[in-house]
Amino acid sequence: MSPAALQIVPQNAEPETSAKRKPVRFGGRSFMALVLAPEPPVDEWLAELDELAARSPGFFGSRPVVLDVAAIKLSPRMLAAFIGELEIRGVRLIGVEGCDPKFLDGPNARLATPVGGRAAGELSAPEAKGAAGTSLVVDQPVRSGQTISFNGDVTICGSVASGAEIVAAGSIHVYGALRGRAIAGSSGSPAARIFCRRLDAELLAIDGVYMTTDELDPALRGKPARAWLAGEQLKVAALD
Amino acid sequence: MAEVLVVTSGKGGVGKTTSTAALGAALAQTGQSVVVVDFDVGLRNLDLVMGAERRVVYDLINVVQGDANLNQALIRDKRIDTLSLLPASQTRDKDALTAEGVERVVNELKGRFDWIICDSPAGIERGAYFAMRHADLAVIVTNPEVSSVRDSDRIIGLLDSKTEKAERGETIEKLLLLTRYDPVRAERGDMLKVDDVLEILSISLLGIIPESPEVLKASNLGSPVTLSNPISAPARAYADAARRLRGETIQMTVPSEKKRFFGNLFGRRAAA
């Protein structure tokens, strides 16, 4: 996700003028788009989609979506109506594939451009927070080589050994020494946090932003600490 | 009631086989009937450390596969008659072990001995799995050094999930045997201290075996250190550990060679 900034300066520009003129800056960035491939019957598929949206509010909110209509045969008018249905549900389309580009006209003409890209496999929508079973309490130390993976908050009453891994969709609390890896907010929640009684972690990560021990302030080593995400930066501070 | 004990570590070269032989001999010296079983199929060593390499005819694999019976394969120790060895095969590999075969052998041994001590191979694969599979308790051999400690931690995780006892929902008792410990170097910070290791592994301590040339000497002589030089520091540490295994409460100390000197002196005076 790191933007690869690229400066383009006109080749034959005069040196004195180019110093005054601001160059046009381009940023390159790659990101993942969801591909929605509806299956017939479309009504039932839309009902499924509503149910999924109810379980994971905001799942579509900020994500670019590509619609693949190859599996459903729609007339141009029905396609326009279908796109309308998706827009009502807050799905932000960036392209439509699997149909004749001529089917897309009027305001939908912008979606006709082929998007391309590489398939990234199936994704599963994260369950909404606050529902039952979103907290896991582990009463034993987590040993090297073990992974605790949970779709919610994880509390460890014991230590997390070097070579062990906790992956939580929510926050991670360790009432012991954290010597392994703690990966919080794993399915995209920047509000997740990590707390531990003794920080000696190999790796801390929240919502994909990570930090290894090398980058950690040595003064925090072995101290009770918390980690949170401030924008794109992972912050770690002592607990007291 | 027979106790099945696995001596394991994850990491190689930390002293599993030495400890198996020393603990086995020390337990046998207290009058218990003991069998030490070598699970390191393909890389057998326990017979060498026990000084029985020239007496191996049949081995664990032969018994597991039904080609020989236990009477044919068990080797009774020449020094202590309550101590026996079930050697591993050097020509086969761990694939020759089968779940049913191992279970049958362990059950048969339970009917004959008070202690069945399984010497686990290094690693976390098939051999180590079968060695720990039927254990009631585990002795985790660890050196005061980070990689050994981490591997021990890994093995503890497996003991808590892959053993028969764990699968029944019970917890397997895990005891730490810290080997090659040098109090002076630990104090200097060159190696981990006892408390550091205990804190990381959070299991109870069975014994601390000091680093000593006596251990290597004993291996090369083909004798468990508890038999070859019973007054040496490591031998006394193993003997204490064996007594703790029998349920005795003995103060935890790190025996040193210096004490041995005095021990010798007093011993001689008493004898004179």
Side-chain angles (χ1 to χ4, degrees):
Chain A
M1 281 276 248
S2 69
L6 175 76
Q7 276 194 31
I8 296 182
V9 182
Q11 283 281 302
N12 44 6
E14 297 284 303
E16 56 268 29
T17 54
S18 76
K20 281 177 205 155
R21 209 188 304 158
K22 261 203 168 171
V24 180
R25 289 172 65 100
F26 289 85
R29 177 176 291 194
S30 70
F31 51 85
M32 183 129 67
L34 283 178
V35 177
L36 277 180
E39 286 161 31
V42 176
D43 288 348
E44 274 177 35
W45 186 86
L46 276 174
E48 264 317 298
L49 186 73
D50 286 339
E51 210 172 288
L52 186 136
R55 281 203 307 269
S56 304
F59 181 60
F60 293 112
S62 52
R63 289 165 201 250
V65 176
V66 174
L67 182 66
D68 179 359
V69 292
I72 47 171
K73 299 274 170 281
L74 296 175
S75 67
R77 204 169 51 83
M78 281 166 74
L79 183 60
F82 186 66
I83 291 171
E85 287 286 338
L86 291 177
E87 270 164 9
I88 292 169
R89 288 166 173 80
V91 177
R92 284 195 329 162
L93 292 181
I94 58 164
V96 177
E97 335 178 293
C99 69
D100 192 331
K102 276 179 269 174
F103 280 23
L104 296 156
D105 51 9
N108 292 335
R110 61 169 184 97
L111 301 173
T113 343
V115 181
R118 218 159 12 101
E122 221 163 88
L123 292 176
S124 53
E127 298 290 317
K129 286 215 183 63
T134 53
S135 172
L136 175 73
V137 179
V138 179
D139 271 325
Q140 284 165 339
V142 184
R143 304 287 182 180
S144 184
Q146 293 178 330
T147 299
I148 305 273
S149 188
F150 187 69
N151 208 352
D153 290 354
V154 175
T155 307
I156 313 286
C157 301
S159 295
V160 177
S162 155
E165 188 174 65
I166 312 293
V167 184
S171 296
I172 296 172
H173 307 259
V174 181
Y175 292 96
L178 172 56
R179 300 192 177 92
R181 299 163 154 234
I183 297 160
S186 63
S187 46
S189 69
R193 294 187 183 195
I194 299 168
F195 302 88
C196 63
R197 223 169 66 178
R198 263 188 69 184
L199 180 64
D200 226 335
E202 288 166 350
L203 181 125
L204 297 173
I206 297 173
D207 191 19
V209 182
Y210 64 88
M211 178 188 267
T212 58
T213 316
D214 269 3
E215 304 161 60
L216 198 66
D217 179 1
L220 291 168
R221 279 282 202 103
K223 300 266 160 40
R226 67 199 160 99
W228 72 99
L229 205 55
E232 285 284 293
Q233 232 197 338
L234 192 63
K235 302 267 191 188
V236 185
L239 256 184
D240 353 86
Chain B
M1 183 59 192
E3 288 265 22
V4 183
L5 183 159
V6 60
V7 178
T8 187
S9 69
K11 193 169 160 57
V14 294
K16 283 182 295 297
T17 301
T18 304
S19 297
T20 302
L23 282 176
L27 275 170
Q29 278 176 314
T30 67
Q32 298 274 295
S33 64
V34 179
V35 61
V36 287
V37 185
D38 193 348
F39 272 85
D40 205 347
V41 181
L43 294 167
R44 74 168 202 226
N45 285 154
L46 189 55
D47 55 328
L48 286 172
V49 177
M50 298 285 292
E53 74 277 12
R54 293 180 192 170
R55 300 168 63 202
V56 177
V57 182
Y58 293 105
D59 54 50
L60 175 66
I61 295 300
N62 295 133
V63 185
V64 161
Q65 299 193 333
D67 301 331
N69 63 37
L70 268 183
N71 289 329
Q72 293 170 297
L74 284 172
I75 301 170
R76 182 175 288 190
D77 192 87
K78 283 186 172 166
R79 295 150 296 207
I80 313 168
D81 60 2
T82 51
L83 180 62
S84 295
L85 163 72
L86 183 53
S89 165
Q90 182 72 354
T91 51
R92 309 296 292 272
D93 61 28
K94 272 100 180 163
D95 293 340
L97 292 167
T98 62
E100 309 77 52
V102 170
E103 183 168 10
R104 184 172 48 78
V105 171
V106 171
N107 281 335
E108 223 175 300
L109 290 171
K110 275 186 184 173
R112 295 184 182 213
F113 295 95
D114 299 324
W115 291 87
I116 298 132
I117 306 183
C118 307
D119 182 22
S120 172
I124 52 175
E125 281 79 34
R126 201 173 167 87
Y129 167 76
F130 281 124
M132 70 167 69
R133 182 74 189 143
H134 305 284
D136 300 305
L137 75 159
V139 169
I140 320 286
V141 182
T142 306
N143 290 168
E145 171 258 322
V146 284
S147 60
S148 173
V149 172
R150 188 204 264 177
D151 290 359
S152 293
D153 197 64
R154 177 85 165 105
I155 276 290
I156 294 169
L158 294 177
L159 285 163
D160 283 336
S161 59
K162 298 282 169 113
T163 54
E164 225 178 23
K165 226 176 169 182
E167 283 174 6
R168 284 200 304 264
E170 298 166 38
T171 43
I172 177 166
E173 193 182 350
K174 298 160 294 272
L175 302 164
L176 175 70
L177 190 65
L178 197 61
T179 54
R180 309 198 64 168
Y181 189 73
D182 184 337
V184 178
R185 290 180 59 199
E187 206 45 61
R188 272 207 311 257
D190 294 350
M191 54 168 71
L192 292 174
K193 290 182 190 157
V194 180
D195 287 343
D196 298 337
V197 181
L198 282 174
E199 204 268 323
I200 295 172
L201 295 180
S202 59
I203 56 175
S204 34
L205 186 61
L206 177 67
I208 304 162
I209 314 299
E211 171 85 329
S212 162
E214 290 296 324
V215 174
L216 184 62
K217 214 192 278 176
S219 284
N220 288 332
L221 280 174
S223 168
V225 69
T226 35
L227 296 182
S228 70
N229 188 355
I231 50 166
S232 67
R236 282 181 293 132
Y238 276 120
D240 281 355
R243 287 168 64 191
R244 288 186 196 105
L245 278 177
R246 296 217 46 204
E248 288 182 45
T249 313
I250 296 160
Q251 205 198 338
M252 192 64 69
T253 52
V254 187
S256 65
E257 298 297 341
K258 215 171 169 184
K259 278 186 197 150
R260 184 185 70 118
F261 176 72
F262 286 113
N264 263 346
L265 218 59
F266 290 130
R268 281 196 196 127
R269 271 185 198 162

